[in-house]
Amino acid sequence: MPDASSHPAAPPPGDPLHAAVPARALATRGEFQAAVCATLGHAASAGVRELWWVANDWTPWPLEDAAVLDGLTAWARRPGVRLHWLSHEFEALRRAAPRLVRWRQTFAHIIDCRQPDDLPSVDMPVLLVADRRLVVRVLDTERMRGWVSHERADIQRAHEQIDAISQRASAAFAAVTLGL
């Protein structure tokens, strides 16, 4: 993960990502899904370079939504982008999200999927981070309650958590599975 000192203290005024995904509390699954859709739908036009997805249960994430996949495709076609994906449960995702799996195969060259080696599943956070500009954090996974923040301290904490998990994680979720 890049050094925090190499990033500006705050995004420029009028950041299109902030306008598309305002900071707010998330009280329902629908609000969480709307925040994910808005973030991924505007990632390309807002010039997002890196996305981090962290979770174990991908069911609440609207990753099979056609608009989300269109937004991800537009983003993935930009030069220099990268998706970092951390989870214990990629196999469940493989079965539940065939369109996303096809998207993952197409854009495997920009995606790094990793599975934590020694982190208990219950300790895995639920995060969506866009560069150092936005974090969506879920605190209550049963009701999908959490928040969207543009605050540097919140984003830095999310990056520190991701970095700690990534240091003890192995490659996972191969783009193509070969059988004999």
Side-chain angles (χ1 to χ4, degrees), residues 17-101:
L17 191 59
H18 292 196
V21 192
R24 66 183 186 278
L26 303 173
T28 67
R29 181 181 181 134
E31 289 178 4
F32 166 75
Q33 291 175 334
V36 170
C37 286
T39 302
L40 301 180
H42 290 86
S45 62
V48 171
R49 305 292 289 195
E50 290 188 283
L51 291 168
W52 288 265
W53 296 356
V54 183
N56 277 329
D57 181 7
W58 297 99
T59 308
W61 293 62
L63 299 176
E64 281 288 284
D65 183 86
V68 168
L69 290 170
D70 289 345
L72 279 171
T73 299
W75 172 79
R77 289 186 172 143
R78 296 177 53 89
V81 298
R82 194 90 178 130
L83 170 60
H84 307 272
W85 206 343
L86 288 167
S87 184
H88 283 102
E89 296 299 328
F90 287 115
E91 288 311 310
L93 182 64
R94 190 182 301 279
R95 291 186 301 274
R99 291 177 10 187
L100 178 67
V101 170

Side-chain angles (χ1 to χ4, degrees), residues 143-158:
R143 293 174 188 82
M144 296 310 288
R145 291 182 183 162
W147 41 260
V148 176
S149 176
H150 304 286
E151 295 296 321
R152 182 171 173 82
D154 295 335
I155 296 165
Q156 181 62 31
R157 275 191 296 277

Side-chain angles (χ1 to χ4, degrees), residues 86-160:
L86 288 167
S87 184
H88 283 102
E89 296 299 328
F90 287 115
E91 288 311 310
L93 182 64
R94 190 182 301 279
R95 291 186 301 274
R99 291 177 10 187
L100 178 67
V101 170
R102 280 192 303 280
W103 179 88
R104 189 260 183 275
Q105 290 169 337
T106 301
F107 294 102
H109 61 285
I110 64 158
I111 302 171
D112 177 34
C113 299
R114 304 189 66 75
Q115 183 173 12
D117 296 330
D118 58 0
L119 181 73
S121 292
V122 297
D123 292 337
M124 181 70 102
V126 177
L127 300 166
L128 166 58
V129 182
D131 290 334
R132 293 197 176 263
R133 296 160 58 190
L134 171 141
V135 61
V136 177
R137 181 184 292 273
V138 173
L139 303 171
D140 173 358
T141 56
E142 187 174 320
R143 293 174 188 82
M144 296 310 288
R145 291 182 183 162
W147 41 260
V148 176
S149 176
H150 304 286
E151 295 296 321
R152 182 171 173 82
D154 295 335
I155 296 165
Q156 181 62 31
R157 275 191 296 277
H159 277 280
E160 288 169 0

